[in-house]
Amino acid sequence: MKRIYIVVEGQTEQEFVNSVIAPYLWNFGIFSVTPVLIRTSRTGRGGMVNYAHLYNTVKLLLMSDKTDFIVTTFIDYFRIPNTMPGYAECMAKSDDIERIEALEAVMNERIADRRFFSYIQLHEFEALLFSDNSGFEYYFPEECARKTASIILSYDNPEDINSSPEGAPSKRLLAIKPDYRKVLEGNLIALQVGIDTMLAKCPRFAGWVGRMERMCK
């Protein structure tokens, strides 16, 4: 059995790994799935404001010479810092998928360890919540749930909900429900939607989870 360390930006993603991703991977005999907050200083944790913090966190996890674990990332494409390696060249690609794949490829090349592979969420964690309206219907007022339903109907793939400052999934939720609490409500909604629905609706996310499964076989 291999262990998985998932480097995350904040408490929302940390809780999502613990409450949604880890229990799903248990079904495949992967019982050690640990979210690791990005180290921003000796005492600081969380946040993705500088690639150096991400790099240092990953390299620290890879210092061991053991081979019974893998390290991956779960970071948002929305407002990804321009300190990412190869940022200008990657962002010159023709569409978001190509840009993300280029950013991931450069990161993998820089880390250069077969136990590591990067993953960037298109466009951010909240996109996964739009896989189905059941979570919003359960936790949001009826009027708010009608608005989220309208957004869901506009996109076959929730990951395509665009990354403009006003159009990002999290910004849309805040516009609909200004007191939306990302860590608490975001993860309650995720649990209500369920990972199976997310995997069915979000191909990039499904590809990442599937790769973790394969690497741990």
Side-chain angles (χ1 to χ4, degrees):
M1 181 198 74
K2 286 192 175 182
R3 294 168 287 146
I4 301 176
Y5 296 102
I6 302 177
V7 177
V8 298
E9 296 184 51
Q11 291 181 323
T12 303
E13 293 80 7
Q14 183 181 40
E15 180 60 28
F16 180 69
V17 169
N18 284 330
S19 62
V20 177
I21 294 178
Y24 174 80
L25 292 174
W26 295 343
N27 296 317
F28 301 91
I30 306 167
F31 299 109
S32 180
V33 182
T34 305
V36 179
L37 282 169
I38 293 172
R39 292 172 60 101
T40 56
S41 66
R42 287 188 176 181
T43 56
R45 298 289 188 277
M48 178 60 179
V49 296
N50 192 312
Y51 170 70
H53 297 149
L54 173 62
Y55 177 85
N56 291 335
T57 303
V58 170
K59 292 298 283 188
L60 187 64
L61 291 168
L62 293 170
M63 284 181 64
S64 169
D65 58 2
K66 294 182 178 180
T67 60
D68 64 340
F69 69 92
I70 64 172
V71 178
T72 186
T73 62
F74 182 45
I75 59 176
D76 292 342
Y77 176 59
F78 179 57
R79 289 182 175 166
I80 198 162
N82 60 12
T83 53
M84 294 291 289
Y87 180 86
E89 295 82 358
C90 294
M91 297 305 285
K93 301 291 184 181
S94 61
D95 60 47
D96 287 325
I97 297 294
E98 288 188 9
R99 294 175 192 129
I100 287 176
E101 290 177 347
L103 287 166
E104 290 174 340
V106 174
M107 203 185 319
N108 293 340
E109 183 180 344
R110 294 293 179 90
I111 300 294
D113 192 305
R114 61 187 179 86
R115 298 169 297 178
F116 172 79
F117 76 99
S118 59
Y119 173 69
I120 300 172
Q121 176 64 40
L122 176 70
H123 285 277
E124 58 180 342
F125 161 76
E126 273 82 2
L128 302 173
L129 307 183
F130 284 91
S131 297
D132 185 82
N133 207 42
S134 59
F136 298 122
E137 290 172 350
Y138 194 85
Y139 289 104
F140 279 14
E142 184 177 345
E143 182 180 353
C144 295
R146 284 199 297 269
K147 293 178 180 178
T148 56
S150 177
I151 295 171
I152 290 169
L153 288 172
S154 300
Y155 292 89
D156 292 331
N157 177 359
E159 294 174 313
D160 288 335
I161 297 175
N162 69 61
S163 61
S164 67
E166 300 79 16
S170 62
K171 299 301 182 184
R172 292 179 186 231
L173 289 180
L174 286 170
I176 292 169
K177 189 174 185 288
D179 63 347
Y180 166 67
R181 292 170 292 171
K182 179 171 181 171
V183 177
L184 176 61
E185 290 181 287
N187 279 289
L188 288 174
I189 291 166
L191 285 167
Q192 184 68 28
V193 172
I195 191 169
D196 289 331
T197 300
M198 294 176 185
L199 293 172
K201 294 288 289 187
C202 304
R204 274 192 55 80
F205 176 71
W208 174 55
V209 174
R211 185 169 180 180
M212 286 191 285
E213 294 171 25
R214 294 190 298 273
M215 290 183 71
C216 287
K217 284 183 178 178

